[in-house]
């Protein structure tokens, strides 16, 4: 049978199979043995959130995994959000890939004195991440209860917190609380007073689910925009009920609440620098059944909080026919000019939003000042796609970033927004994959009104970056002179540690707050004070001496893990592409001993082979074990974050996906064996999401690995026919590419054991929960060895403690059986491996 016919027969037949696993069922969650279990349950140290003035820290505490009871809370799937009806809250995180979790609490730490002030929360509190006021004197957070979402405000002076009575926040579409400039006021989204009881779905559906594509004209609609979409008039009613908000201003001192306008389905809110005008995006009917709420029709308006007047800026139609990896054609990416009271800025496509179009300029930038009644003015045209603006504190200078998706390129230009005819000056122009020559990203500061502007001092910007090098990352902070384009290095992480600049301590740019760690020292916040300039410095080193003092002193939560050793390893692929991985060895490892190993990787796309092999990561980080890394405590070596580049023109890189996948794996295995650490006859492979597809394909097309574990993968790419990863061609344009990438179509050659794990509630388009059961059935039907574990209530990333412990237990049992204790391959197997 021709391959094309075979593909469609298999797809039809196996899509019709039930999504249940044949054979005996097992009850209860498993737990891995000690010491793996203890490490998984070890508490997390607090993480610091620095206030805008750089003088106070909120030390935020959060458990690594919430209990399954939290994850199992019932919810509704509505247009890309998951809603908990019980308390009218959002079930998933804003990115849709995990469960919204509660913080355990926080305390305040004064940077100068080191004094820590506890923050006392009510019993059973479920606080969100706190939002600092611009002056750093207050913080606000949402607290989710059994029946509603409350607004709480805290005071830095004494650490006290209080609930604002009568306020019920609506968190469904985000943006539920924002500080109103430098005032002691918050702009919030409330539940409407006259909300009434929630609509109920009928026990018997009132009719069939329908989706319509009868409108004139064609157009792609990326699968990646279709997550938990609406499917009926009942869904529309439910979505509107839960997403409708009442805008209000809350006085944090008195608790007074001032309602603004009428309730509406409010999406984006953004307060202008003058604290008076607010950009409001209000969703409009008819709602789409093929895309999520962010692409629904919407009116973009400016609301005057003082007068209540509304000025409409744009009426945007539903954007459900946007080219794959493209943008809508109307106004988009609205923002405020940070150094003017109320001037809107937005982008508009000149190429139909389609990266395939050949045009002299892809985007134009428009601006419109208050009172928003004049004609918008164009102030820049960008050759490539708009990527963002960075405003200076005063004047009309602005940094404009644009990116070229056709060659993975990024350009940053210094423009004058008030002189559109004046040519800009390109500051940085480099590959988006460039790590070694990355100049860093500009640092910002917060103005008293809460606006973020470029941190400029005496004509210079501050740039921070990862400091990638062939020896690993060494983060840095530079002072970049705008006039000369030259950088002066203020700080670079020591080679024996991993230290990242996180902000300035107060207004003194000679005092740096850094996040410092090493293989033996847990991450802690330090104060680094720059001293006198050095007479000379080695290339790339700091030109200033500095002293280091601890600000926090968090302990090591898992001392046993310090016995694990790691090294950054560089090597080459057969075609000369540079690669790297981090090799971890288990506690008690004796050099020269060969041990079983597990390779973990996630394939990434690159346009330039010289950039694909640039080393990322550092061997100087503090090791913490989660997921597959806990198997180090069971005697495995880990070949971690092995570079798996897919190199080529972004328009057709996946033409050689399989060849490059196999070449990457072969090079990594050969190097690990060459080091004398890994037993070549006992290597497993694992990956998550796109890495899960990689793992399944490596078992199908090589005999390098004895077994694999693949979690939350998408194994049949014809189910995402309008693109996957960086493949932008449709299935009908490049069917052979979709065929080669789909492990499902090669299930008959997966002749090593494969454990498949998936979250039952995975909402990530392309890795829907049907993917793993279909591959399981395909492998099983072809006589292969496989096991399927479907984790209840879990999304794309597993959240519950019970789920993660069960996952590790399953993985350990699988690799112990089929890798660590696998019988030696006989001569026939060796010959078969060579033949493949």
């Amino acid at each position: 049978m021709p391959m094309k016919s075979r593909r469609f027969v298999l797809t039809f037949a196996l899509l019709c199979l039930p999504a249940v696993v044949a054979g005996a069922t097992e009850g209860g969650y498993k737990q891995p043995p000690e010491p793996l279990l203890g490490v998984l349950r070890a508490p997390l140290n607090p993480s610091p959130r620095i206030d805008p003035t750089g003088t106070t820290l909120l030390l935020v505490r959060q458990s690594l995994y919430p209990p399954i009871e939290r994850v199992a809370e019932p919810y509704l799937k509505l247009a890309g959000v998951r809603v908990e009806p019980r308390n009218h809250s959002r079930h998933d995180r804003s990115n849709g890939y995990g469960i919204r979790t509660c913080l355990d609490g926080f305390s305040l730490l004064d940077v100068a004195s080191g004094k820590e002030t506890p923050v006392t929360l009510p019993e059973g509190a479920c606080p969100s991440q706190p939002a600092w006021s611009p002056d750093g004197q207050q913080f606000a957070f949402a607290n989710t209860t059994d029946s509603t979402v409350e607004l709480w405000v805290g005071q830095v002076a004494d650490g006290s917190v209080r609930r604002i009575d009568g306020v019920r926040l609506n968190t469904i579409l985000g943006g539920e609380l924002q500080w109103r400039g430098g005032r002691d006021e918050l702009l919030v989204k409330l539940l409407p007073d006259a909300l009434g009881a929630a609509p109920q779905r009928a026990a018997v559906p009132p009719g069939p689910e329908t989706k319509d594509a009868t409108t004139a004209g064609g157009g792609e609609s990326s699968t990646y925009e279709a997550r938990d979409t609406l499917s009926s008039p009942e869904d529309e009613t439910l979505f509107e009920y839960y997403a409708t908000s009442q805008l209000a201003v809350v006085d944090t001192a008195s608790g007074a609440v001032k309602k603004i306008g009428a309730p509406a389905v409010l999406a984006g809110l953004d307060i202008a620098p003058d604290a008076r005008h607010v950009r409001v995006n209000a969703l409009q009917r008819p709602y789409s059944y093929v895309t999520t709420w962010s692409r629904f029709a919407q009116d973009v308006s400016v609301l005057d909080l003082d007068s209540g007047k509304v000025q409409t800026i744009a009426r945007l139609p539903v954007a459900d026919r946007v080219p794959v990896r493209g943008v809508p054609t109307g106004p988009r990416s609205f923002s405020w000019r940070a150094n003017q009271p109320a001037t809107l800025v937005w982008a508009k496509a000149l190429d139909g939003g389609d990266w395939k179009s050949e045009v002299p300029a892809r985007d134009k930038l428009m601006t419109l000042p208050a009172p928003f009644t004049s004609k918008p003015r164009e102030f820049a045209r960008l050759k490539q796609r708009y990527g963002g603006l960075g405003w200076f504190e005063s004047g009309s200078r602005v940094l404009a970033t644009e990116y070229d998706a056709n060659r993975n390129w990024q350009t940053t230009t210094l423009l004058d927004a008030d002189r559109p005819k004046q040519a800009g000056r390109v500051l940085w122009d480099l590959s988006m994959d460039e790590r070694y020559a990355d100049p860093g990203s500009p640092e910002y500061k917060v103005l008293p009104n809460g606006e973020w502007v470029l941190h400029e001092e005496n004509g210079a910007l501050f740039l921070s970056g990862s400091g990638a090098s062939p020896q690993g990352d060494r983060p840095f902070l530079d002072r970049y002179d705008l006039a000369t384009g030259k950088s002066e290095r203020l700080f670079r992480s020591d080679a024996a540690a991993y230290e990242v600049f996180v902000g300035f301590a107060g207004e003194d740019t000679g005092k740096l707050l850094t996040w410092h760690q090493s293989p033996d020292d847990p991450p802690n916040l330090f104060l680094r004070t720059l001293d006198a300039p050095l007479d000379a410095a080695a290339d790339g080193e700091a030109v200033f001496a500095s002293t280091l003092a601890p600000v926090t002193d968090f302990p090591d939560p898992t001392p046993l893990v310090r016995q694990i050793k790691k090294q950054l390893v560089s090597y080459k692929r057969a075609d000369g592409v540079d690669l790297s991985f981090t090799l971890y060895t288990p506690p008690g490892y004796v050099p020269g001993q060969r041990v079983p190993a597990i390779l973990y990787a996630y394939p990434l796309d690159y346009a330039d082979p010289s950039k694909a092999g640039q080393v990322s990561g550092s061997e100087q980080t503090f090791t913490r074990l989660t997921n597959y890394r806990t198997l180090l405590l069971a005697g495995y070596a880990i070949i971690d974050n092995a570079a798996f580049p897919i190199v080529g023109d972004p328009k057709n890189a996946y033409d050689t996906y399989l060849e490059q996948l196999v070449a990457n794996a072969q090079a990594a295995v050969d190097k690990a064996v060459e080091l004398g650490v890994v037993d070549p006859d006992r290597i497993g492979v694992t990956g998550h999401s796109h890495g899960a597809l990689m793992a399944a394909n490596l078992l199908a097309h090589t005999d390098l690995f004895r077994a694999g574990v693949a979690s939350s993968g998408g194994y049949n790419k014809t189910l995402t026919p309008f693109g996957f990863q960086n493949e932008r061609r449709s299935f009908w344009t490049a069917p052979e590419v979709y065929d080669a990438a789909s492990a499902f179509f090669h299930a008959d050659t997966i002749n090593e054991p494969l454990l498949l794990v998936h979250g039952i509630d995975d909402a990530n388009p392309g890795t829907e929960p049907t993917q793993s059961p279909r591959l399981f059935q395909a492998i099983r039907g072809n006589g292969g060895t496989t096991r399927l574990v479907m984790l209840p209530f879990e999304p794309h990333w597993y959240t519950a403690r019970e789920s993660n412990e069960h996952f590790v237990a399953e993985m350990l049992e699988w690799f112990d059986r089929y890798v660590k204790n696998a019988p030696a391959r006989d001569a026939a197997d060796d010959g078969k491996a060579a033949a493949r």
Side-chain angles (χ1 to χ4, degrees), residues 296-470:
F296 284 1
Q298 50 191 283
D299 288 352
V300 182
S301 305
V302 174
L303 168 67
D304 187 322
L305 292 176
D306 292 343
S307 69
K309 182 181 178 181
V310 176
Q311 186 72 38
T312 300
I313 305 299
R315 297 187 186 278
L316 306 179
V318 63
D320 59 2
R321 293 180 182 270
V322 177
V324 175
R325 305 295 191 272
V327 297
T329 54
R332 71 180 201 280
S333 302
F334 287 86
S335 63
W336 293 104
R337 180 166 167 170
N339 57 18
Q340 288 191 348
T343 298
L344 267 182
V345 177
W346 66 86
K348 188 174 183 179
L350 297 170
D351 61 353
D354 193 342
W355 60 272
K356 296 186 290 295
S357 300
E358 297 290 340
V359 292
R362 292 203 179 275
D363 276 340
K364 63 179 179 180
L365 301 182
M366 308 297 293
T367 183
L368 181 65
F372 315 104
T373 54
S374 61
K375 183 179 179 180
R377 177 178 64 87
E378 178 182 328
F379 75 90
R381 289 208 169 195
L382 306 179
K383 290 183 179 180
Q384 301 302 332
R385 190 69 70 213
Y386 171 62
L389 297 174
W391 295 96
F392 288 77
E393 184 172 355
S394 61
S396 54
R397 294 174 303 159
V398 61
L399 296 187
T401 300
E402 56 190 292
Y403 65 95
D404 182 352
N406 288 325
R407 57 187 190 119
N408 274 18
W409 205 265
Q410 181 170 292
T411 304
T412 301
T413 306
L414 178 62
L415 300 174
D416 190 321
D418 292 344
R419 296 172 179 81
K421 294 183 179 180
Q422 181 175 303
R425 177 161 64 95
V426 174
L427 301 186
W428 303 293
D429 186 47
L430 69 165
S431 168
M432 295 167 69
D433 302 322
E434 174 60 62
R435 293 182 56 81
Y436 293 170
D438 180 11
S441 300
E443 290 293 321
Y444 287 75
K445 67 178 182 179
V446 181
L447 299 178
N449 63 1
E451 292 297 315
W452 290 82
V453 295
L454 292 163
H455 197 140
E456 182 185 16
E457 184 179 72
N458 299 323
L461 298 177
F462 295 94
L463 307 178
S464 62
S466 63
S469 74

Side-chain angles (χ1 to χ4, degrees), residues 668-796:
V669 167
D670 287 348
K671 187 63 180 181
V673 172
E674 176 193 316
L675 292 171
V677 174
V678 172
D679 182 347
D681 198 38
R682 295 188 294 164
I683 306 176
V685 62
T686 187
H688 183 82
S689 195
H690 195 48
L693 175 64
M694 171 208 72
N697 270 324
L698 289 175
L699 296 189
H701 299 286
T702 78
D703 285 304
L704 294 169
F705 306 99
R706 299 303 299 272
V709 176
S711 55
S712 297
Y715 309 104
N716 183 347
K717 289 305 173 188
T718 66
L719 300 181
T720 55
F722 290 105
F724 60 91
Q725 294 304 109
N726 202 41
E727 177 52 63
R728 290 172 279 180
R729 294 168 292 181
S730 74
F731 165 74
W732 297 274
T733 302
E736 65 286 350
V737 172
Y738 283 73
D739 183 285
S742 298
F744 176 83
F745 296 130
H746 308 282
D748 56 334
T749 63
I750 298 178
N751 55 9
E752 293 88 9
L754 177 60
L755 170 64
L756 296 165
V757 181
H758 217 116
I760 287 178
D761 286 354
D762 191 344
N764 179 43
T767 62
E768 292 90 346
T770 57
Q771 289 271 4
S772 288
R774 301 313 176 212
L775 183 59
F776 169 82
Q777 294 282 18
I779 297 172
R780 177 179 176 272
N782 281 286
T785 300
T786 184
R787 176 178 172 85
L788 175 65
V789 177
M790 301 296 289
L791 297 171
F793 309 111
E794 290 293 352
H796 191 59

Side-chain angles (χ1 to χ4, degrees), residues 627-648:
N627 202 290
Y628 62 91
R629 291 192 187 97
T630 59
L631 271 62
L632 281 156
L633 302 178
Y636 290 88
I638 301 292
I639 306 165
D640 202 24
N641 289 320
F644 263 63
I646 306 301
V647 184

Side-chain angles (χ1 to χ4, degrees), residues 435-436 463-479 488-501 512 514 516 528 530 534 537-546 548:
R435 293 182 56 81
Y436 293 170
L463 307 178
S464 62
S466 63
S469 74
Q471 292 74 44
D473 290 353
R474 291 181 62 187
F476 66 87
L477 176 70
D478 284 356
R479 180 185 284 120
E488 177 185 47
R489 183 135 296 176
L490 304 179
F491 154 75
R492 188 188 189 195
S493 177
D494 186 85
Y498 184 78
E499 187 177 357
V500 181
F501 170 77
L512 319 181
T514 65
H516 179 284
R528 183 174 284 278
L530 302 181
L534 299 172
D539 183 38
E541 296 294 340
V543 296
F544 282 82
S546 59
L548 194 65

Side-chain angles (χ1 to χ4, degrees), residues 14-229:
L14 288 171
L15 280 178
C16 293
L17 289 171
V20 296
V21 182
T25 60
E26 302 170 12
Y29 284 99
K30 298 179 181 179
Q31 294 177 347
E34 294 290 358
L36 284 73
L37 182 61
V39 167
L40 282 171
R41 292 187 171 184
L44 293 176
N45 282 331
S47 58
R49 290 178 62 90
I50 304 172
D51 85 290
T53 69
T55 59
T56 308
L57 305 177
L58 268 168
L59 300 180
V60 177
R61 295 172 174 81
Q62 184 172 10
S63 300
L64 183 59
Y65 304 123
I68 190 65
E69 290 81 6
R70 166 72 195 100
V71 180
E73 178 68 30
Y75 66 86
L76 302 171
K77 301 178 181 180
L78 298 170
V81 293
R82 296 183 166 186
V83 177
E84 294 182 10
R86 181 168 63 96
N87 51 22
H88 206 123
S89 71
R90 182 155 179 165
H91 182 74
D92 56 343
R93 295 175 185 163
S94 58
N95 63 12
Y97 293 100
I99 304 296
R100 174 190 57 79
T101 55
C102 308
L103 300 179
D104 294 337
F106 25 82
S107 59
L108 293 162
L109 183 72
D110 181 74
V111 171
S113 66
K115 178 185 177 183
E116 185 171 355
T117 303
V119 174
T120 303
L121 300 176
E123 184 72 24
C126 178
S128 66
Q129 288 285 352
W132 280 108
S133 63
D135 62 4
Q137 296 304 304
Q138 298 183 83
F139 54 94
F141 58 93
N143 179 47
T144 304
T145 70
D146 289 341
S147 59
T148 194
V149 181
E150 304 169 336
L151 174 63
W152 285 67
V153 176
Q155 303 297 323
V156 169
D158 57 5
S160 63
V161 292
R162 70 184 183 94
R163 183 184 65 193
I164 305 296
D165 292 335
V167 171
R168 298 183 301 159
L169 297 175
N170 190 339
T171 64
I172 302 305
L173 299 186
E176 57 270 11
L177 63 88
Q178 300 177 41
W179 286 96
R180 189 183 176 188
R183 311 183 189 190
D184 293 337
E185 292 180 342
L186 288 161
L187 181 69
V188 298
K189 289 181 182 179
L190 304 179
L191 299 186
D193 290 337
L195 188 60
Q200 299 297 314
R201 282 195 173 109
V204 177
E209 294 184 5
T210 60
K211 293 184 180 181
D212 199 345
T214 59
T215 54
E220 297 175 348
S221 179
S222 173
T223 312
Y224 288 84
E225 298 299 332
R227 183 177 68 244
D228 293 349
T229 54

Side-chain angles (χ1 to χ4, degrees), residues 610-621:
S610 68
K611 308 298 185 293
Q614 292 186 348
V615 173
S616 63
S618 170
E619 61 185 11
Q620 302 305 327
T621 56

